[in-house]
């Protein structure tokens, strides 16, 4: 049975967006999506210069400055001067920031696990396979145009 990739994409896209929105709602609500994503990026890739963070988040320098100021005010990140070049400032996640991310991640996982508990073994197996495929799709380089 042939499947139309466009039709599958059309059906999956809104479900993925809805899932992402519902999962974000499980967070403590203290951070906007932009702040939360910047904190995740710093946790995964930091310490980062302001320029590196702005590039990764696709934000302008003034916008990333505001993001960093807000995260720093919440003591979720800290600025540190580069040892090799004192003119360069890097941002790194703090213990408090890491705990915030872990708490939000745990709430999201619990929410999903509660819903998954209502599914049968075949449905869970289908979700496990879908997760593998989604990881493969999002980790792969974009297709050549």
């Amino acid at each position: 049975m042939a499947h139309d990739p466009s039709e599958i994409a059309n059906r999956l896209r809104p479900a993925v967006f809805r899932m992402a929105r519902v999962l974000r709602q499980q967070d403590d609500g203290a951070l906007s999506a932009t702040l939360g994503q910047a904190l995740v990026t710093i946790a995964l890739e930091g310490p980062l210069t302001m320029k590196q963070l702005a590039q990764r988040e696709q934000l302008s320098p003034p916008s990333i400055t505001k993001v960093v100021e807000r995260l720093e005010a919440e003591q979720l990140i800290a600025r540190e001067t580069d040892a090799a070049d004192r003119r360069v400032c890097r941002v790194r996640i703090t213990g408090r920031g890491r705990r915030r991310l872990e708490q939000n991640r745990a709430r999201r996982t619990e929410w999903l696990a509660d819903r998954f508990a209502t599914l049968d073994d075949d449905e869970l197996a289908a979700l496990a396979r879908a997760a593998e495929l989604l990881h493969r799709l999002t980790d792969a380089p974009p297709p050549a145009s």
Side-chain angles (χ1 to χ4, degrees):
M1 177 165 110
H3 296 285
D4 177 11
S6 292
E7 178 58 29
I8 294 168
N10 219 17
R11 291 177 51 214
L12 185 59
R13 183 184 35 75
V16 169
F17 285 135
R18 207 170 27 254
M19 177 70 74
R21 185 179 64 243
V22 171
L23 286 174
R24 273 194 309 274
Q25 291 170 351
Q26 305 313 305
D27 290 351
D28 62 14
L31 298 178
S32 69
T34 300
L35 293 174
Q37 186 54 51
L39 185 60
V40 168
T41 298
I42 294 165
L44 294 175
E45 301 180 38
L48 296 168
T49 64
M50 299 284 278
K51 182 177 180 180
Q52 290 169 326
L53 182 60
Q55 289 171 338
R56 283 173 178 73
E57 296 304 305
Q58 299 179 358
L59 293 172
S60 68
S63 294
I64 207 65
T65 297
K66 290 177 185 172
V67 165
V68 166
E69 287 171 353
R70 292 273 319 274
L71 293 172
E72 194 175 31
E74 296 281 331
Q75 300 176 351
L76 302 175
I77 64 168
R79 296 181 202 224
E80 51 190 34
T81 303
D82 187 285
D85 185 347
R86 311 242 350 122
R87 296 171 297 174
V88 175
C89 170
R90 296 186 186 279
V91 291
R92 65 170 177 77
I93 192 163
T94 62
R96 182 178 181 157
R98 200 163 297 285
R99 285 188 299 279
R100 170 79 59 86
L101 287 180
E102 289 167 4
Q103 290 165 350
N104 286 342
R105 198 172 291 132
R107 275 194 291 278
R108 288 186 223 130
T109 299
E110 182 180 353
W111 183 89
L112 274 174
D114 287 347
R115 273 127 193 102
F116 289 175
T118 67
L119 303 176
D120 65 32
D121 287 342
D122 289 340
E123 292 170 321
L124 287 171
L127 277 177
R129 180 70 178 133
E132 291 171 18
L133 293 171
L134 288 170
H135 274 289
R136 192 172 87 201
L137 290 171
T138 57
D139 292 342
S145 49

